[in-house]
Amino acid sequence: MKRVMELLVVLGLLTRVCSQRPQPQGPQVPCFFIFGDSLVDNGNNNGILTLARANYRPYGIDFPQGATGRFTNGRTYVDALAQLLGFPNYIPPYARTRGRTLLRGVNYASGAAGILDETGNNLGDHTSMNRQVANFGETVLQMRRFFRGDNNALNSYLSKCIFYSGMGSNDYLNNYFMPTFYTSSSDYTIEAFAALLLQDYTRQLTQLYSLGARKVIVTSVGPIGCIPYQLARFSGNKTTRCNENINKAILLFNSGLRKLVHRFNGGQLPGSKFVLIDSYQSSNDLYMNATNYGFEVIDKGCCGVGRNNGQITCLPLQQPCDDRGKYLFWDAFHPTEFANIALAKATYTSQSYTYPINIQQLANL
């Protein structure tokens, strides 16, 4: 109930948040670096050979610059978070960012990407987490010249920045639970697969730390057994319409991720501070208490094809729903701008869905 009341207060402010940007004195941190998948991709997949692209209408129908490659109707979670952190502009995609612009941060996220390199291959090319970390390493090399080769000064600068990493969803959606394309579900139990992901993710996050990351946000995987894509393929049971076999596997990974954050903060990575966003709980609260938050449609996409608008994702020039603020999901996989902003506000100012501190507190460390 406490979570519900806190998020209701947040959503009471949503109209104002959606219509205008926060006006702090300036960015609370010097830069913001983003790693992830289609939930936060803002155009890195536009120029590669992949089915995981969103640089066409009606994607971006509510975004000022139109269809930029964001997999939603407007702002992503990290777009809204960047505004709350005081950045005057959105963090640009790595695919078209070089020079001094790197100093305020880069978005490396790629639709279909996962912790494992092979994840997402069923959709075509993508930038896996390993490649995203390598791209950040290249960015650090480029940034070094702006500090005249002074590594101490560069490291001091990066230590004040915020890093965001949201990975794992595709390792289940576009790998483990796609047995016609991958053998992972026969090669690993759900426990062993979660352990494999956590092992690789630990190495990747540790590598980010070695490159200068000190303030790091990581997100758990949401209840993807309840997204329209799964509802279109699963008949449900007496207690739920969701595919709880998938959700059960997700919870194993999320539990391990929480323990990983605890270890990192407990001295495994000295001088760092990791914050875990509980995307599973936040999404579940929105899903279970939808009417309290103003959502009227929680089981199908605003735009899509087939059952629950989840069998095929949003097609080029397709007409989406008119009342987008009433939909939790934009398409078969991704939340609407309204839902993204709600989560950004909740995780920025409260600890309902963050551990051990909220993002505003992380920025001020």
Side-chain angles (χ1 to χ4, degrees), residues 145-206:
R145 72 174 185 267
F146 298 113
F147 291 85
R148 301 181 183 276
D150 188 336
N151 288 334
N152 290 332
L154 174 57
N155 289 336
S156 176
Y157 182 81
L158 290 173
S159 71
K160 300 178 178 67
C161 301
I162 282 184
F163 293 73
Y164 168 94
S165 181
M167 279 289 183
S169 295
N170 285 312
D171 293 291
Y172 289 95
L173 279 175
N174 288 298
N175 191 328
Y176 194 78
F177 287 101
M178 190 171 281
T180 57
F181 198 94
Y182 299 93
T183 63
S184 52
S185 59
S186 57
D187 294 339
Y188 301 95
T189 64
I190 57 173
E191 294 83 2
F193 190 68
L196 173 68
L197 295 181
L198 290 164
Q199 175 181 301
D200 278 14
Y201 205 24
T202 299
R203 174 182 51 78
Q204 291 158 354
L205 293 173
T206 301

Side-chain angles (χ1 to χ4, degrees), residues 13-309:
L13 300 174
L14 264 179
T15 301
R16 185 171 63 188
V17 174
C18 288
S19 61
Q20 65 183 35
R21 297 183 182 182
Q23 298 296 323
Q25 295 301 310
Q28 296 165 51
V29 293
C31 47
F32 185 18
F33 293 96
I34 298 156
F35 304 81
D37 52 29
S38 59
L39 291 171
V40 293
D41 185 354
N42 66 345
N44 285 308
N45 277 19
N46 291 354
I48 62 178
L49 187 61
T50 178
L51 294 175
R53 291 173 64 167
N55 57 335
Y56 57 86
R57 294 293 291 267
Y59 287 96
I61 190 171
D62 298 312
F63 194 72
Q65 286 79 48
T68 58
R70 289 166 167 83
F71 289 76
T72 185
N73 59 303
R75 282 167 282 180
T76 66
Y77 168 80
V78 292
D79 288 331
L81 185 57
Q83 291 179 318
L84 290 167
L85 289 168
F87 287 92
N89 300 300
Y90 301 114
I91 304 302
Y94 176 74
R96 60 171 189 266
T97 306
R98 297 295 182 271
R100 297 192 69 87
T101 305
L102 297 170
L103 293 172
R104 71 179 183 88
V106 185
N107 185 327
Y108 302 92
S110 172
I115 294 170
L116 304 179
D117 286 340
E118 65 269 22
T119 290
N121 283 345
N122 54 298
L123 294 172
D125 197 11
H126 60 279
T127 307
S128 67
M129 183 59 175
N130 280 326
R131 287 171 58 191
Q132 289 181 38
V133 173
N135 287 341
F136 176 63
E138 291 297 318
T139 296
V140 171
L141 290 177
Q142 292 182 57
M143 291 176 68
R144 188 167 294 157
R145 72 174 185 267
F146 298 113
F147 291 85
R148 301 181 183 276
D150 188 336
N151 288 334
N152 290 332
L154 174 57
N155 289 336
S156 176
Y157 182 81
L158 290 173
S159 71
K160 300 178 178 67
C161 301
I162 282 184
F163 293 73
Y164 168 94
S165 181
M167 279 289 183
S169 295
N170 285 312
D171 293 291
Y172 289 95
L173 279 175
N174 288 298
N175 191 328
Y176 194 78
F177 287 101
M178 190 171 281
T180 57
F181 198 94
Y182 299 93
T183 63
S184 52
S185 59
S186 57
D187 294 339
Y188 301 95
T189 64
I190 57 173
E191 294 83 2
F193 190 68
L196 173 68
L197 295 181
L198 290 164
Q199 175 181 301
D200 278 14
Y201 205 24
T202 299
R203 174 182 51 78
Q204 291 158 354
L205 293 173
T206 301
Q207 190 173 352
L208 282 181
Y209 169 83
S210 71
L211 290 167
R214 293 297 180 268
K215 299 180 181 182
V216 185
I217 302 165
V218 293
T219 66
S220 66
V221 177
I224 55 179
C226 299
I227 63 175
Y229 176 79
Q230 291 299 332
L231 297 180
R233 289 159 174 75
F234 183 70
S235 58
N237 54 45
K238 294 181 179 179
T239 59
T240 179
R241 296 182 59 190
C242 302
N243 188 331
E244 295 302 339
N245 288 331
I246 294 179
N247 287 344
K248 179 182 177 182
I250 296 303
L251 287 173
L252 285 172
F253 173 80
N254 288 350
S255 176
L257 186 60
R258 187 180 183 92
K259 293 174 183 176
L260 176 61
V261 167
H262 182 72
R263 291 200 306 272
F264 282 168
N265 287 336
Q268 187 170 325
L269 298 181
S272 68
K273 191 65 176 182
F274 280 72
V275 168
L276 175 67
I277 296 177
D278 190 345
S279 296
Y280 193 98
Q281 186 61 55
S282 63
S283 298
N284 195 53
D285 281 354
L286 288 175
Y287 194 85
M288 299 301 294
N289 303 284
T291 56
N292 292 334
Y293 308 144
F295 295 111
E296 297 180 7
V297 184
I298 62 171
D299 60 349
K300 66 179 182 179
C302 169
C303 185
V305 176
R307 183 182 178 189
N308 296 86
N309 277 350

